[in-house]
Amino acid sequence: MMTKLDPIVLELIHSKVSSIIEEMRVVLFHSGYSTVLRESEDGSAGLLDAQLRTVAVSKKLPLHFGSFSAIAEHLPRYYRTDELEEGDIILFNHPYAGNVTHPSDTVVLMPVFAQGTLVAFTGTLAHKADLGGPQASTAARDLWEEGLVIPPTKYYVRGAVNREVERLVAANSRIPVETLGDLRGQVGACRVGAERMQELCGRFGVEIIKAGCAELMARVAGQLRSALKSMPDGAHEADGALDHDVISFDRSLRVHVSVTKKGSDILFDFSGSDQQARGPVNVVPGLIKNTCYFGLMAMTDASLPFNHGFVDVVKTRFREGTIVCPRPGAPVSYYVPLAYLTADVVLKALGQFIPEKAAGSSGGGGGVRIVGKGSKSGKPWVFMELLDTALGASSKQDGVSLIHGTLGVGQFRPGPIEIHETEFPMRVVRFDVRADSGGPGKFRGGLGCTREYQLLEDAAVRVRGKGEMRSKVPPWGVFGGKPARTGGIAVNGVEVPETAREAVVKPGDIVRVNMNAGGGYGDPLDRDPELVLGDVLDGYVTLHGARDDYGVVINSNSLTIDTKATQSLREQRRAQSV
């Protein structure tokens, strides 16, 4: 019998589960030991029902919307629900056993009991700066070369920590203190979420909470289907490519999606994507599905919360053995470039259904990883920081600059310079926007960043291609907009070749990291010259860029627009393009 819900009670439940997620996030980041967790906030929290369906996650990190949506497919193979007890906590990072990213991300999952009944699960996912695996000089060729792989395992049993698990994890990390500290922070966040869910069940009753969570998922599914009905029916496709897989540098990798929409039904078919890569750039289907959820939310109704309602509505198709559906055991540690590229490809296809919402490609994700052996302290260190790219331009505005692509927009960010200089042997000597990097257009793509680090000890910087492997097919523009400029890594002003896997640096060397920018929208010759002048005054566009990219002539002395010269140059450019 279906429990009847008071609408006011349902809204209270909705508000409370949202606040539970936010409180879990705060605990997770405030208790993190590593800078990549506590400063760059590479982690997330989620609430699942007793059937392992996602009830709520934070909307601040689209990359992790679907982080917990694949657990239901795998966890029952390891634990039946009757094998779980109050106080148990499960740990895993296996990308083919419930985790949807790579082995560096650990999932901590806690069953929640109220009045003797399993009512929910709280979960956290957080990046670990080091869980073993090769140094940057070697690229993994299978999953087992990527570091410690943990299938779903009881980390806590009836409230007591399993010390054997902790010893195993610590023995496989170059920085065990930070790694275990982050894991314990994940546990603490799950416990807080469990306590709040138990309080909620105590207030409204177990059956009301179960019914409320089910209704929240059904409501999102209904709203999404209604939004889909307003989209034109049809079929559109799009593709994109990575430069290589960090092993076979002469082979580009194409991801392709065909989107078919009819009524309230939609199918994303990735069967036409290239065969899986030898190198670690593959992505498991659970994360590719997430790019579809994100794309639909962005194109239909950005106010929708994410929960299992999206999983119920959105259908996907894959062909096993491709880069977006690799066979178990394929390496996935460098999943980020392809995941972000796929999100842009999905938006590109959906933009053909709704042209007024189309946008240029974002600059993707990425960051920097520098490893040292601790020549002065004797203690190895691993520095990891997420850096800013940009969003593509749209029909109404320029792309947002200095933001972490599409999937990390609301959360990922560089860490505070003071923290880095205190905890690592380095100085951050520059942090700036990259002038002229945004794709030219009537609306300009957002600008990527430049960050420079001066190392004070011997170290090695990871390199995984130029522009996060998007230099051959840069972040594209739409409706006449031009592509963005891609980034790269340089040491003492000399760019590191894309075929290098690491750059060895000495004390005093300066590492410059340039990040990708976003693609433009519309013809650059249609951009208001006053906007171009404003970009020049702000340092976003150079005088040469104004002339070459936009056909706007600006007097270098007075910094004013030469109207006649601009009009003449633009007329000349338009005539040449006919």
Side-chain angles (χ1 to χ4, degrees), residues 262-314:
K262 185 176 181 181
S264 61
D265 297 326
I266 192 163
L267 170 68
F268 294 84
D269 187 347
F270 293 92
S271 307
S273 299
D274 280 355
Q275 293 296 107
Q276 70 185 53
R278 294 171 61 211
V281 300
N282 303 290
V283 181
V284 298
L287 188 54
I288 296 299
K289 293 177 183 179
N290 187 54
T291 66
C292 303
Y293 307 147
F294 159 75
L296 270 184
M297 182 185 290
M299 284 289 184
T300 58
D301 186 352
S303 68
L304 285 176
F306 179 83
N307 63 30
H308 193 81
F310 274 84
V311 181
D312 281 341
V313 173
V314 178

XYZ file of all heavy atoms in Angstrom, residues 262-314:
398
model
N 12.157 11.417 -29.218
C 10.774 11.351 -29.669
C 9.859 11.451 -28.463
O 9.899 10.614 -27.562
C 10.500 10.042 -30.422
C 9.091 9.975 -31.016
C 8.896 8.715 -31.836
C 7.479 8.682 -32.457
N 7.262 7.450 -33.252
N 9.033 12.462 -28.445
C 8.130 12.660 -27.313
C 8.912 12.884 -26.039
O 9.747 13.791 -25.950
N 8.686 12.043 -25.038
C 9.411 12.150 -23.767
C 10.533 11.128 -23.661
O 11.099 10.934 -22.581
C 8.436 11.961 -22.596
O 7.832 10.679 -22.657
N 10.853 10.466 -24.776
C 11.919 9.462 -24.788
C 13.162 10.039 -25.452
O 13.070 10.757 -26.457
C 11.480 8.209 -25.549
C 10.302 7.512 -24.883
O 10.234 7.546 -23.638
O 9.457 6.952 -25.606
N 14.323 9.694 -24.915
C 15.573 10.144 -25.506
C 16.617 9.052 -25.359
O 16.698 8.377 -24.326
C 16.058 11.471 -24.877
C 17.201 12.065 -25.696
C 16.452 11.295 -23.412
C 17.468 13.531 -25.398
N 17.411 8.861 -26.410
C 18.453 7.832 -26.433
C 19.762 8.456 -26.876
O 19.827 9.127 -27.912
C 18.071 6.705 -27.386
C 19.167 5.677 -27.699
C 19.488 4.841 -26.455
C 18.764 4.772 -28.864
N 20.809 8.217 -26.095
C 22.164 8.626 -26.450
C 22.938 7.373 -26.860
O 23.169 6.488 -26.033
C 22.858 9.303 -25.265
C 22.251 10.617 -24.859
C 21.143 10.652 -24.008
C 22.778 11.813 -25.305
C 20.583 11.858 -23.619
C 22.227 13.028 -24.919
C 21.117 13.049 -24.082
N 23.330 7.311 -28.117
C 23.997 6.124 -28.646
C 25.474 6.447 -28.917
O 25.795 7.263 -29.779
C 23.304 5.685 -29.935
C 23.833 4.347 -30.460
O 24.885 3.888 -29.974
O 23.185 3.774 -31.353
N 26.353 5.792 -28.161
C 27.796 6.012 -28.294
C 28.491 4.882 -29.049
O 29.722 4.777 -29.004
C 28.430 6.163 -26.900
C 27.997 7.402 -26.160
C 26.904 7.371 -25.304
C 28.679 8.593 -26.320
C 26.499 8.509 -24.615
C 28.290 9.739 -25.638
C 27.192 9.698 -24.786
N 27.717 4.048 -29.737
C 28.269 2.868 -30.399
C 29.301 3.201 -31.458
O 30.169 2.379 -31.787
C 27.155 2.043 -31.048
O 26.144 1.741 -30.142
N 29.224 4.405 -32.037
C 30.142 4.779 -33.102
C 31.479 5.301 -32.629
O 32.303 5.727 -33.450
N 31.742 5.266 -31.323
C 33.021 5.754 -30.796
C 34.148 4.767 -31.114
O 33.906 3.585 -31.369
C 32.920 5.963 -29.285
O 31.933 6.923 -28.981
N 35.375 5.248 -31.081
C 36.533 4.430 -31.432
C 36.770 3.299 -30.447
O 36.290 3.323 -29.303
C 37.788 5.306 -31.495
C 37.885 6.078 -32.802
O 37.031 5.862 -33.693
O 38.817 6.906 -32.936
N 37.558 2.343 -30.920
C 37.939 1.213 -30.068
C 38.702 1.719 -28.846
O 39.335 2.766 -28.869
C 38.820 0.240 -30.842
C 38.105 -0.478 -31.984
C 36.988 -1.363 -31.463
O 35.812 -1.040 -31.621
N 37.346 -2.456 -30.836
N 38.639 0.936 -27.774
C 39.280 1.349 -26.525
C 40.768 1.566 -26.738
O 41.398 0.983 -27.620
C 39.045 0.313 -25.435
C 39.764 -1.005 -25.620
C 39.368 -2.003 -24.541
O 38.192 -2.267 -24.303
N 40.354 -2.575 -23.878
N 41.328 2.428 -25.920
C 42.727 2.832 -26.053
C 43.642 1.894 -25.287
O 43.246 1.277 -24.288
C 42.900 4.261 -25.542
N 44.886 1.806 -25.761
C 45.909 1.071 -25.001
C 46.293 1.857 -23.754
O 46.571 1.293 -22.710
C 47.147 0.859 -25.855
C 46.945 -0.062 -27.052
C 48.174 -0.024 -27.949
N 49.365 -0.492 -27.229
C 50.599 -0.055 -27.471
N 50.808 0.892 -28.371
N 51.629 -0.537 -26.797
N 46.305 3.181 -23.885
C 46.664 4.046 -22.773
C 45.492 4.316 -21.857
O 44.353 3.908 -22.122
N 45.732 5.038 -20.753
C 44.740 5.149 -19.662
C 43.708 6.256 -19.841
O 43.285 6.879 -18.861
C 45.626 5.425 -18.448
C 46.784 6.188 -18.998
C 47.037 5.618 -20.368
N 43.240 6.503 -21.068
C 42.282 7.588 -21.296
C 40.849 7.087 -21.445
O 39.937 7.870 -21.709
C 42.663 8.408 -22.552
C 44.045 9.017 -22.392
C 42.592 7.546 -23.815
N 40.635 5.780 -21.289
C 39.289 5.227 -21.404
C 38.394 5.718 -20.268
O 38.871 6.117 -19.195
C 39.353 3.698 -21.365
C 40.236 3.128 -22.455
O 39.896 3.172 -23.613
N 41.396 2.596 -22.059
N 37.076 5.657 -20.506
C 36.099 6.066 -19.496
C 35.012 4.987 -19.419
O 34.526 4.516 -20.447
C 35.445 7.419 -19.844
C 34.447 7.836 -18.765
C 36.506 8.494 -20.013
N 34.630 4.606 -18.195
C 33.608 3.578 -18.030
C 32.222 4.174 -18.306
O 32.014 5.382 -18.165
C 33.658 2.947 -16.619
C 34.991 2.257 -16.391
C 33.408 3.995 -15.538
N 31.261 3.334 -18.718
C 29.947 3.846 -19.130
C 29.209 4.657 -18.071
O 28.477 5.591 -18.412
C 29.168 2.571 -19.486
C 30.205 1.575 -19.837
C 31.377 1.885 -18.955
N 29.384 4.324 -16.791
C 28.669 5.049 -15.747
C 28.948 6.535 -15.784
O 28.049 7.357 -15.562
N 30.190 6.907 -16.082
C 30.533 8.330 -16.136
C 30.071 8.961 -17.446
O 29.677 10.139 -17.478
C 32.040 8.518 -15.957
C 32.520 9.965 -15.809
C 31.781 10.680 -14.690
C 34.014 10.020 -15.569
N 30.102 8.192 -18.527
C 29.592 8.717 -19.793
C 28.088 9.004 -19.676
O 27.588 10.022 -20.177
C 29.874 7.719 -20.930
C 31.386 7.550 -21.126
C 29.220 8.182 -22.227
C 32.128 8.811 -21.503
N 27.358 8.125 -19.016
C 25.931 8.385 -18.777
C 25.753 9.699 -18.033
O 24.809 10.460 -18.295
C 25.314 7.245 -17.966
C 25.234 5.919 -18.694
C 24.668 4.835 -17.775
C 24.651 3.476 -18.459
N 24.118 2.410 -17.570
N 26.659 9.972 -17.122
C 26.570 11.200 -16.337
C 26.664 12.442 -17.213
O 26.013 13.458 -16.950
C 27.674 11.213 -15.281
C 27.550 12.362 -14.319
O 26.516 12.559 -13.704
N 28.599 13.155 -14.201
N 27.478 12.387 -18.289
C 27.566 13.542 -19.189
C 26.226 13.787 -19.882
O 25.891 14.927 -20.202
C 28.670 13.344 -20.251
O 28.322 12.270 -21.129
C 30.009 13.056 -19.601
N 25.459 12.714 -20.095
C 24.124 12.863 -20.696
C 23.164 13.508 -19.699
O 22.359 14.378 -20.076
C 23.590 11.503 -21.140
S 24.656 10.631 -22.306
N 23.229 13.081 -18.433
C 22.366 13.688 -17.411
C 22.652 15.184 -17.301
O 21.740 16.014 -17.271
C 22.603 13.029 -16.047
C 22.493 11.529 -16.015
C 23.278 10.769 -15.147
C 21.601 10.847 -16.843
C 23.181 9.393 -15.096
C 21.508 9.459 -16.802
C 22.308 8.735 -15.921
O 22.220 7.368 -15.873
N 23.952 15.505 -17.240
C 24.344 16.911 -17.127
C 23.882 17.715 -18.341
O 23.330 18.811 -18.216
C 25.859 17.027 -16.970
C 26.407 18.373 -17.347
C 26.233 19.460 -16.504
C 27.061 18.567 -18.556
C 26.710 20.720 -16.858
C 27.543 19.812 -18.919
C 27.363 20.881 -18.066
N 24.115 17.166 -19.543
C 23.752 17.885 -20.759
C 22.265 18.168 -20.844
O 21.846 19.277 -21.197
N 21.444 17.172 -20.480
C 19.997 17.368 -20.509
C 19.552 18.396 -19.476
O 18.679 19.228 -19.748
C 19.279 16.046 -20.262
C 18.944 15.206 -21.487
C 18.160 13.979 -21.085
C 18.162 16.010 -22.517
N 20.141 18.343 -18.293
C 19.797 19.322 -17.274
C 20.119 20.731 -17.762
O 19.308 21.656 -17.616
C 20.551 19.027 -15.970
C 20.209 19.974 -14.833
S 21.203 19.695 -13.340
C 20.568 18.120 -12.785
N 21.290 20.899 -18.380
C 21.706 22.213 -18.853
C 20.795 22.723 -19.965
O 20.513 23.921 -20.053
C 23.154 22.158 -19.338
N 20.320 21.818 -20.825
C 19.557 22.224 -22.001
C 18.046 22.326 -21.752
O 17.348 23.007 -22.492
C 19.800 21.233 -23.144
C 21.138 21.423 -23.812
S 21.152 22.956 -24.785
C 22.768 22.862 -25.524
N 17.553 21.628 -20.731
C 16.103 21.620 -20.524
C 15.676 22.437 -19.317
O 14.937 23.405 -19.438
C 15.587 20.180 -20.389
O 16.251 19.524 -19.285
C 15.826 19.388 -21.663
N 16.144 22.051 -18.130
C 15.701 22.721 -16.910
C 16.822 22.658 -15.878
O 16.974 21.674 -15.160
C 14.439 22.037 -16.371
C 13.837 22.784 -15.181
O 14.465 23.733 -14.692
O 12.732 22.396 -14.746
N 17.609 23.717 -15.829
C 18.762 23.751 -14.926
C 18.360 23.790 -13.457
O 19.209 23.609 -12.582
C 19.642 24.951 -15.252
N 17.079 24.024 -13.175
C 16.636 24.072 -11.776
C 16.390 22.677 -11.199
O 16.193 22.528 -9.997
C 15.354 24.909 -11.654
O 14.257 24.248 -12.284
N 16.379 21.652 -12.054
C 16.108 20.302 -11.566
C 17.233 19.821 -10.658
O 18.411 19.984 -10.977
C 15.973 19.329 -12.738
C 14.691 19.364 -13.560
C 14.800 18.393 -14.734
C 13.491 19.014 -12.701
N 16.901 19.193 -9.532
C 17.938 18.519 -8.754
C 18.312 17.219 -9.444
O 17.541 16.702 -10.270
C 17.255 18.254 -7.410
C 15.802 18.122 -7.762
C 15.560 19.062 -8.907
N 19.490 16.690 -9.141
C 19.831 15.389 -9.713
C 19.461 14.286 -8.733
O 19.835 14.323 -7.563
C 21.318 15.273 -10.051
C 21.640 13.909 -10.624
C 21.437 13.663 -11.971
C 22.059 12.877 -9.810
C 21.669 12.398 -12.505
C 22.303 11.612 -10.329
C 22.107 11.374 -11.684
N 18.741 13.297 -9.235
C 18.513 12.065 -8.498
C 18.228 10.941 -9.494
O 18.431 11.097 -10.700
C 17.411 12.214 -7.434
C 16.041 12.528 -8.009
O 15.693 12.135 -9.128
N 15.242 13.259 -7.238
N 17.745 9.807 -9.000
C 17.555 8.628 -9.851
C 16.509 8.862 -10.937
O 16.435 8.077 -11.900
C 17.148 7.434 -8.980
C 17.232 6.127 -9.694
N 18.423 5.445 -9.861
C 16.272 5.359 -10.301
C 18.196 4.334 -10.522
N 16.917 4.249 -10.802
N 15.741 9.928 -10.823
C 14.783 10.241 -11.875
C 15.447 10.378 -13.231
O 14.892 9.959 -14.261
N 16.647 10.964 -13.264
C 17.381 11.066 -14.528
C 17.744 9.684 -15.056
O 17.670 9.432 -16.266
C 18.654 11.904 -14.335
C 18.439 13.380 -14.473
C 17.990 14.134 -13.400
C 18.687 14.028 -15.669
C 17.795 15.500 -13.519
C 18.494 15.395 -15.806
C 18.043 16.139 -14.725
N 18.160 8.804 -14.171
C 18.555 7.448 -14.573
C 17.365 6.706 -15.177
O 17.506 5.955 -16.142
C 19.130 6.679 -13.373
C 19.569 5.275 -13.777
C 20.303 7.439 -12.755
N 16.174 6.927 -14.613
C 14.971 6.281 -15.134
C 14.610 6.762 -16.540
O 14.114 5.987 -17.359
C 13.785 6.533 -14.194
C 13.795 5.630 -12.978
O 14.481 4.593 -13.028
O 13.131 5.964 -11.982
N 14.845 8.026 -16.821
C 14.381 8.622 -18.078
C 15.395 8.482 -19.205
O 15.039 8.165 -20.343
C 14.034 10.113 -17.865
C 13.709 10.795 -19.200
C 12.865 10.242 -16.896
N 16.661 8.733 -18.901
C 17.692 8.813 -19.948
C 18.167 7.414 -20.328
O 18.635 6.649 -19.481
C 18.874 9.670 -19.470
C 19.964 9.710 -20.542
C 18.405 11.073 -19.131
